[in-house]
Amino acid sequence: MKNYMQHLKERAISAYPPKTSRRWSICIVAAVIVGLVLGHFGQVNLAEFIIDFALLCGIDLLGVTFAKHGVNIILAYILAAALCFAVSVLLTFYIMSSNNL
């Protein structure tokens, strides 16, 4: 079991070299900003879709980042999912309150 977990960690870490990780981070931040702008212009459904998709990509990137720094890979993905869920809830309420929904 330990060898399998190590294999998963190595595969996950090799999926995002530093330059690719930086590009994904920029795309995720840009998608969240675009989603917030669309939310302010009344396109709430599209904004929520874009933000949720960006945060789902962010879960994978955060999980790999946590795993690179020595956290157990399963715990890393649970922590990443919890962080992205919290951000998603906050952004959802922000967009809904800015549109008086």
Side-chain angles (χ1 to χ4, degrees), residues 69-81:
H69 293 291
V71 179
N72 182 351
I73 192 154
I74 294 173
L75 184 62
Y77 274 95
I78 291 172
L79 181 62

Side-chain angles (χ1 to χ4, degrees), residues 38 40-41 70:
L38 285 173
H40 281 292
F41 289 124

Side-chain angles (χ1 to χ4, degrees), residues 7-83:
H7 174 71
L8 280 178
K9 183 177 177 179
E10 290 171 4
R11 295 255 334 227
I13 289 172
S14 67
Y16 291 104
K19 285 186 179 181
T20 305
S21 177
R22 192 173 307 122
R23 288 180 188 141
W24 272 102
S25 299
I26 291 169
C27 289
I28 290 169
V29 169
V32 169
I33 291 170
V34 167
L36 288 174
V37 169
L38 285 173
H40 281 292
F41 289 124
Q43 301 295 325
V44 177
N45 291 335
L46 182 60
E48 284 302 312
F49 174 75
I50 290 172
I51 288 174
D52 288 340
F53 184 74
L55 290 176
L56 283 175
C57 295
I59 289 173
D60 192 37
L61 191 63
L62 272 176
V64 170
T65 303
F66 291 151
K68 280 183 183 179
H69 293 291
V71 179
N72 182 351
I73 192 154
I74 294 173
L75 184 62
Y77 274 95
I78 291 172
L79 181 62
L83 286 173

Side-chain angles (χ1 to χ4, degrees), residues 73-92:
I73 192 154
I74 294 173
L75 184 62
Y77 274 95
I78 291 172
L79 181 62
L83 286 173
C84 287
F85 179 74
V87 170
S88 177
V89 167
L90 290 173
L91 289 175
T92 299

